[in-house]
Amino acid sequence: MHAGGMTDLEAELRAAVRGEVRFDTTARALTTMDASNYRRVPLGVVAPRDADDVVAALGVCRERGVPVVARGGGTSIAGQATGTGVVLDFTRHMNRVLALDPGARTAVVQPGLVLDRLQEAAAPHGLRFGPDPSTHSRCTLGGMIGNNSCGSHSVAWGTTADNVRELAVVTARGRRLRLGPGWAGAPDGLRALVEGELARLRTGFPELPRRISGYALDALLPENGADVARSFCGSEGTLGVLTEAVVRLVESPRARALAVLGYADESAAAEAAAGLLPYRPLTVEGMAADLVPSPAALPRGGAWLFVEAGGESEAEARARAEAVRRAADVVDALVVTDPGGQRALWRIREDASGTATRMPDGTEAWPGWEDCAVPPARLGAYLRDFRALLTAHGLRGTPYGHFGDGCIHVRIDFDLLTGKGVARFRAFSEELAGLVVAHGGSLSGEHGDGQARAELLPRMYGAGTVALFERAKAVWDPDDLLNPGMLVRPHPLDANLRFAPLPRRPVDVAFGYPADGGDFAAAVRRCVGVAKCRTATVGGPAVMCPSFRATGEEEHSTRGRARLLHEMLAGEVITGGWRSTEVRDALDLCLSCKGCRSDCPVGVDMATYKAEFLHHHYAGRRRPAAHHSMGRLPEWLRAVDRTRTAPLVNALAAVPPLARLGKRLGGIAAEREIPRLAPRTFSRWWRARRPAAGARGPEVVLWPDTFTEHLTPSVGRAAVRVLEAAGLRVTLPPGRRPRVCCGLTYVSTGQLDRARAVMRRTLDLMAPVLESGTPVVVLEPSCAAALRTDLPELLGDDPRARRLASRVLTFAEGLDRLAPGWIPPRLDRPAAGQTHCHQHAVLGDAADRRLRAAAGLTGELSGGCCGLAGNFGFERGHYAVSAACAEEQLLPAVREAPEGAVILADGFSCRTQLEQLGGVRGRHLAEVLAQALADGTDARPAPGEGWRDSGRTR
């Protein structure tokens, strides 16, 4: 070790390369796993800036005998993106499109380039890269070449190998080669090896579109053009390190139509898939109903084929899709040409890689046999045998995938936590390998063999061909430096399992984790590495993961934080347990937006995990000042109200030196303005008002949340006006001064003992309401979300918590359910703004959409997160990330809003962010409708048509 704790290896790498070299705990913990069942702990991570850095890093590692693993997006499903030596991370610097030639239809790309960035560069020229895995928003071209990835359009455009022209690679011994057809770039000895085994190469490889297993040595046959680049594809980083690629682009159809065909079950869909290939579709994808949380958008059936057709015009594409529909013997079908409708349907299919990790009853399911492939014509028969084998082993799994190519994805409910379960995993794997081979198939049809299947390659190829693979590896990498244990001389398929180091008994936690049996480790295990949270851009309503998009750092993604929590529980790399500073620092930039709760295909809830961690991390220790100043905000504001000192507090906050001192003491960002307190709280206004007369509708309790009560009582007053106009009888919670509180600020700062005390007091105060069953309307979305989710999960032992949670309605839901015949005032104006992230993730906005439509408020609200997110954007050190999040969707949407647009923001944080960063006043929907009522605006729908119905049909 050198001074400061640096190892000799780290010091030599730092001296040799210009890119980042990280041997710290966080970097190592983030790269222990990919999206597979496997885990290996690396020594460190190098982010090379260019090919020279790659050569230099390989040189240092070769001298020290340290293995090297090339890593892209880390979404590999067979374990090949994990290693015990040095990991090369290409996503940080070597991530560009270097050139694009529309005439030649080629692009020159670096290995760390995310596929969607290439598609964006090619799209203006009417071109695209053909292969498109479901992880297209975060997988890299280097990873796709390493695994010979395919995707849903392979029936039209083939595998990655079919779309590669040239590859620049560096061998383990530092030679730079330019690979291509005609033996271009072949290392010494490769041609002689092939020419001595021509008979084996001509007879030993099954013919099927998705044969990914093993090395593609048959691409080196003279009749196949002796294509060294094609042969290199699918080698999983074991032969050389890719530094640049020339790839083929294909013409993208001007128009597309999607036929979704419903079948009785997945076997029926599989039987039908091959018969649709003569129609030359772009896709033939299959999935079963078990993988669809809500099949409302799909035609009737127990399984579906997604068949996409292209054309020069929408009419031509539709005609081709309709021809497919007519040819198919289906239970039901639909054809969609609207691009938005197609995207929504494709999201259902793409999310299957995550939703498949849970069985319908919530049981965990795992990869391992994720993508074997058989000839398409044999798919139906194979699936029947596959189902029988599952049953024989007492296992369950739901197949989905690329039915048109005979490639099946499936997650199986293996028990990988006990010795008996792991033994069953091995026995099943061995038998399934035999079944795949009996049907003429390949153990891997898309994601590579890695550690999951390489041990079983002799069953597919025989010992002689596998020995030939080992000789080929020795030609390229005689020192076995590159990704050892993959493809040849592999690790056993039941070694290095990611779950082995986790504690076997549930750890003591505060939240109930009802979906995970109360087990925090099971909650953390939800993250399987699909990495949808690493999407660099987000459109539409999606939220997850704003901090990653702001920083681009893995540790600020949902997956990265889940990895660190996993390693914290494992205790091998991160040894501090709940006191870990590495986990604390990674969670520091989590906005607790809850976007992952809905956007993550497996429902990881990092906001809850963060609160849990902070609760333990600061137990018996001094907390940051912001936890006291903002975490206990309801207490301070009630004290101000009791002493009637709001004007004095506002006056003091307006004095710059005092404001600076107060922010410094309170842990508040210096860039922030302190919001002004209302001179009169909402409940004081309520007590002084004259009760409304004539309301005969249902009674509702209006929740006086902290923000409405003390900071924006105008929202509460407006809500009362609208709810009463709708005929509802509005009351407040019992008591002269309501002290009810959802506990949100305590939860978000991890003060969970205090949160539970506050919540129990609230349940006591709300006892009469719970007895009567009166609905509770909550105006602040974050408070409504806390009552719906945090309350019952923190107080699972109190049945009153679930009762209150079930009574909670948003403002729009209250009108929707309790006053369906009411007709709101018509504004006939465009609207802009943002759907609150908690509303998107927990509450839903269907009722809001109907209400806006009925009121004539047109346009879509943006997604994302405002970036203020309660206390987050006010905390010292968070301002830059907070502002970056606002600039992603919210502020551009408001700037680009048409003249006269209503700026909607139901959350106090969203309104504050708009005012402080954009100089714009956002309004709660209640305020907008109340103003319209006051102005007498009242253009109504047709007689007898309630606002719910009019909103649905507009």
Side-chain angles (χ1 to χ4, degrees), residues 254-270:
R254 292 180 182 272
R256 302 184 191 211
L258 180 62
V260 184
L261 312 176
Y263 294 87
D265 54 40
E266 90 266 353
S267 291

Side-chain angles (χ1 to χ4, degrees), residues 819-828 850-857 929 937-954:
W822 179 66
I823 300 171
R826 291 277 300 184
L827 289 97
D828 292 319
R850 291 193 290 270
L851 180 55
R852 291 199 304 268
L857 292 170
L929 295 179
T937 305
D938 198 21
R940 297 168 180 261
E945 191 176 36
W947 72 268
R948 285 197 303 176
D949 298 321
S950 66
R952 284 196 185 99
T953 57
R954 277 180 197 283

